[in-house]
Amino acid sequence: MTTLPTPLRGIVPPLVTPLATPEQLDTRGLERLVEHVLAGGVSGLFLLGTTGEGPSLSVALRRQVIDHVVDQVAGRVPVLVGVTDTSLAESIELAEYAADAGASAVVLAGPPYFPIGGHDLREYVRRAAAAVPLPLFLYNMPSHTKLRFDLETVRMAVGLPQVAGIKDSSGDMIYFQQLIQAAADRPDFAVFVGPEELLAQAVRYGGHGGVCGGANLDPALFVDLYQAAVAGDLARIATLEARVLRRAAAIYCFDASSAGVIKGIKAALEWLGICGGALAEPLHPLGLSECELIGRELAELASTIDVQHGDQPLIR
């Protein structure tokens, strides 16, 4: 197990889960993806999150992903494991499995299905923090869980040594700044942003990095953007943000639902030859014509960036 830096900083891609079929892991594709992402200089890997389709996978498949990635990474970077479940007992059991496998931390969203209030949410966090055997990151994902970690709950969590940080995927930058303020007295508490379009802004506000789905495709792009934001290099930020936005427009536009991001990333990874585009039920991959269009647009985009900037292409 790699010791978790305090605080964790940089780019921690929410790794997609390559599937041979909706119920079978593509182990070769997973191996290629892990090496591709690590080569980009990322600071860690986040397994079984939203982009990794964690809630849609069987317990057996989740455990297989954990075992395979932890063994392959072999301590090169910290491995964070999503353990969100409708049952806290199941979340704790998966956290225990992740710890035994050698993971570095676990990530827990608010419990889906029941719309709980602040008191219940705070008790949920307290119980989880006391029970899980690894450092715990909270995962604020209100679009999917239908609740968010209110500031009182976050302030309480900051006071729990077992809670190492929070990932915010709300897209609400006022709330994000409030998270930074809530953690101001605890320098080892990390605050990460989810939406990749907000990475530089979040870091400039004092955030510690990004858990950005697009880093599955071009990890070095997001590492470079993070470093430019840390350095305050506004010209470099503008150039790199333009690449992020162009790529997002090219691959995330084929499904209006939030699942469109996952579908687009997997289709692009298939075009790259890294892994297939299969998704877990209830999601289904994009059609052949859409995948071909993504390939053409990404190839054109990479060529355009080369000509205009003389840099490495967006997709390598």
Side-chain angles (χ1 to χ4, degrees):
M1 178 181 73
T2 299
T3 302
L4 190 73
T6 52
L8 180 63
R9 297 180 183 273
I11 300 300
V12 181
L15 208 69
V16 306
T17 303
L19 298 171
T21 71
E23 299 178 356
Q24 181 181 2
L25 187 64
D26 173 9
T27 55
R28 294 287 182 87
L30 180 58
E31 291 167 1
R32 287 191 294 268
L33 178 62
V34 167
E35 294 305 323
H36 169 72
V37 170
L38 291 181
V42 302
S43 298
L45 299 178
F46 170 33
L47 312 181
L48 305 177
T50 304
T51 305
E53 304 172 83
S56 297
L57 304 178
S58 69
V59 172
L61 189 50
R62 294 185 212 184
R63 291 183 173 190
Q64 188 179 0
V65 171
I66 294 168
D67 289 338
H68 205 94
V69 174
V70 171
D71 285 348
Q72 182 180 350
V73 170
R76 286 178 284 177
V77 296
V79 176
L80 287 64
V81 176
V83 296
T84 302
D85 196 281
T86 52
S87 163
L88 180 56
E90 293 293 339
S91 294
I92 293 169
E93 186 173 335
L94 188 60
E96 292 171 344
Y97 187 89
D100 290 341
S104 302
V106 294
V107 184
L108 182 69
Y113 194 78
F114 284 108
I116 65 175
H119 171 74
D120 289 333
L121 186 58
R122 286 186 285 280
E123 287 303 310
Y124 171 82
V125 172
R126 285 193 185 98
R127 288 189 61 199
V132 299
L134 290 171
L136 173 68
F137 284 82
L138 302 181
Y139 180 9
N140 189 54
M141 189 59 159
S143 63
H144 288 56
T145 62
K146 305 303 183 282
L147 61 85
R148 79 170 186 170
F149 288 103
D150 61 274
L151 292 174
E152 185 177 351
T153 298
V154 174
R155 293 187 187 102
M156 180 275 296
V158 170
L160 302 175
Q162 188 75 2
V163 181
I166 186 169
K167 174 199 173 185
D168 175 38
S169 291
S170 69
D172 181 346
M173 294 310 289
I174 294 176
Y175 173 77
F176 188 86
Q177 292 178 76
Q178 292 170 330
L179 293 179
I180 298 293
Q181 294 170 359
D185 293 332
R186 192 173 149 195
D188 64 332
F189 190 93
V191 182
F192 278 76
V193 71
E196 56 201 55
E197 300 87 349
L198 300 175
L199 171 61
Q201 183 180 357
V203 173
R204 298 286 287 157
Y205 283 155
H208 296 83
V211 184
C212 306
N216 283 276
L217 298 172
D218 197 349
L221 169 64
F222 289 88
V223 171
D224 290 348
L225 178 55
Y226 165 76
Q227 293 173 344
V230 170
D233 188 341
L234 299 182
R236 184 66 173 160
I237 289 172
T239 297
L240 297 173
E241 277 191 331
R243 298 188 191 183
V244 169
L245 293 172
R246 290 177 198 172
R247 184 193 47 74
I251 70 171
Y252 298 158
C253 62
F254 296 97
D255 188 320
S257 73
S258 58
V261 173
I262 305 171
K263 293 182 179 186
I265 291 172
K266 280 202 162 179
L269 287 170
E270 185 169 26
W271 178 75
L272 284 171
I274 293 176
C275 64
L279 287 93
E281 297 285 357
L283 302 180
H284 297 274
L286 298 176
L288 178 59
S289 62
E290 295 164 319
C291 293
E292 290 176 344
L293 184 57
I294 284 177
R296 289 197 300 270
E297 291 183 350
L298 288 179
E300 181 180 349
L301 181 58
S303 176
T304 301
I305 290 173
D306 269 345
V307 170
Q308 291 182 348
H309 301 290
D311 290 333
Q312 293 295 315
L314 180 62
I315 301 295
R316 309 202 228 303

